[in-house]
């Protein structure tokens, strides 16, 4: 399967714990985007990364959220000290070029994060 | 603010009928894309239409773009039960960096057998 792989598919955390979401882009893609989707809503852009670089994190809360895309391994979205409001579906997408507006983005099936 | 807004929010049709949904946006764009999302899954790209195009076809899908009205429509002809999904439009604002796609809240389509 050469598609975008996200894991885990479902993640349950208690308030105050940390959540780590992983995304392996499609083979040959070096650009990764993270989105958050609340129920009955569209996707909201969070962060755009290239290998070892954060290009734009303007959609990501400044507190508790961080993202990385190391030279080796998957991209990680990390949420520290989770709160109930972090409950959402988090999607990762990848593309081979820097202009996703001109190219389709390829999405994973998401991680559904539930905070108890 | 939301760049793309789909209308209607929900649509229920009989198998074999056509489904039409609309998307309006606020700022000038380079391109507009339509995606489908099945329940519990990620988004699947359907079609991309550039700002200098007015209409595009792909199988049973027809997309129109009216940049003067800042709106687009997606038509699914001869719908099937498998078309049941949420449909989203996504735009990249002309003045922004191309990587930022803005999604609407989607149209939920139910096709009854």
């Amino acid at each position: 399967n050469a598609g975008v792989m996200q894991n885990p598919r479902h993640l349950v955390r208690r308030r105050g714990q940390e959540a780590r979401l992983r995304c392996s882009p499609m083979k040959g893609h070096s650009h990764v985007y993270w989105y958050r989707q609340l129920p009955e809503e569209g996707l909201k852009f969070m962060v755009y990364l290239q290998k070892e670089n954060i290009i734009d994190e303007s959609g990501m809360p400044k507190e508790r959220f961080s993202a990385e895309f190391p030279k080796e391994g998957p991209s990680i979205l990390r949420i520290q000290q989770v709160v109930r409001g972090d409950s959402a579906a988090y999607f990762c997408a990848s593309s081979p070029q820097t202009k996703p507006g001109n190219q389709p983005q390829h999405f994973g099936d998401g991680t559904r994060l539930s905070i108890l | 603010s939301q760049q793309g807004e789909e209308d209607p929010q929900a649509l229920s049709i009989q198998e074999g009928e056509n489904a039409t949904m609309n998307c309006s946006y606020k700022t000038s764009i380079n391109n507009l894309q339509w995606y489908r999302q099945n329940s519990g899954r990620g988004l699947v790209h359907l079609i991309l239409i550039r700002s200098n195009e007015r209409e595009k076809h792909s199988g049973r899908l027809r997309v129109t773009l009216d940049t003067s009205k800042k709106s687009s429509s997606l038509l699914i002809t001869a719908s099937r039960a498998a078309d049941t999904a949420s449909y989203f439009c996504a735009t990249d604002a002309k003045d922004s960096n191309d990587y930022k796609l803005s999604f609407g809240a989607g149209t939920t389509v139910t096709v009854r057998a």
Side-chain angles (χ1 to χ4, degrees), chain B residues 39-111:
Chain B
S39 182
R41 304 296 300 272
L43 274 68
V44 174
H45 181 262
L46 296 176
I47 202 162
L48 180 151
I49 187 165
R50 303 191 191 285
S51 59
N52 62 354
E53 297 176 308
R54 292 295 165 258
E55 189 170 312
K56 205 159 182 181
H57 297 253
S58 176
R60 294 183 295 111
L61 305 179
R62 175 177 164 253
V63 168
T64 63
L65 179 63
D66 187 337
T67 52
S68 66
K69 294 181 179 177
K70 291 187 170 60
S71 68
S72 172
S73 69
L74 170 65
L75 168 68
I76 306 172
T77 60
S79 62
R80 305 166 182 169
D83 294 328
T84 294
S86 292
Y87 293 82
F88 296 90
C89 68
T91 55
D92 63 317
K94 206 175 185 72
D95 292 335
S96 77
N97 295 308
D98 286 351
Y99 54 80
K100 269 190 178 166
L101 289 182
S102 295
F103 288 84
T107 293
T108 300
V109 175
T110 303
V111 180

Side-chain angles (χ1 to χ4, degrees), chain A residues 17-100:
Chain A
Q17 291 184 320
E18 178 180 290
R20 278 184 179 240
L21 288 62
R22 295 175 189 77
C23 169
S24 295
M26 278 186 73
K27 191 175 182 181
H29 289 190
S30 55
H31 305 284
V32 165
Y33 317 86
W34 285 93
Y35 295 86
R36 178 163 64 178
Q37 185 180 34
L38 295 171
E40 312 300 323
E41 293 188 12
L43 275 68
K44 298 289 192 295
F45 169 82
M46 297 181 73
V47 60
Y48 162 48
L49 310 104
Q50 294 178 20
K51 284 282 186 181
E52 299 185 278
N53 282 309
I54 296 174
I55 307 302
D56 185 343
E57 55 184 349
S58 61
M60 201 159 64
K62 291 184 172 25
E63 308 273 330
R64 305 186 297 107
F65 284 72
S66 62
E68 63 176 8
F69 189 15
K71 189 176 179 181
E72 302 290 338
S75 175
I76 306 285
L77 179 67
R78 183 179 174 210
I79 312 172
Q80 295 178 290
Q81 299 174 329
V82 295
V83 300
R84 288 240 171 93
D86 297 332
S87 294
Y90 291 84
F91 289 94
C92 168
S94 71
S95 73
Q97 296 184 14
T98 57
K99 292 191 175 182

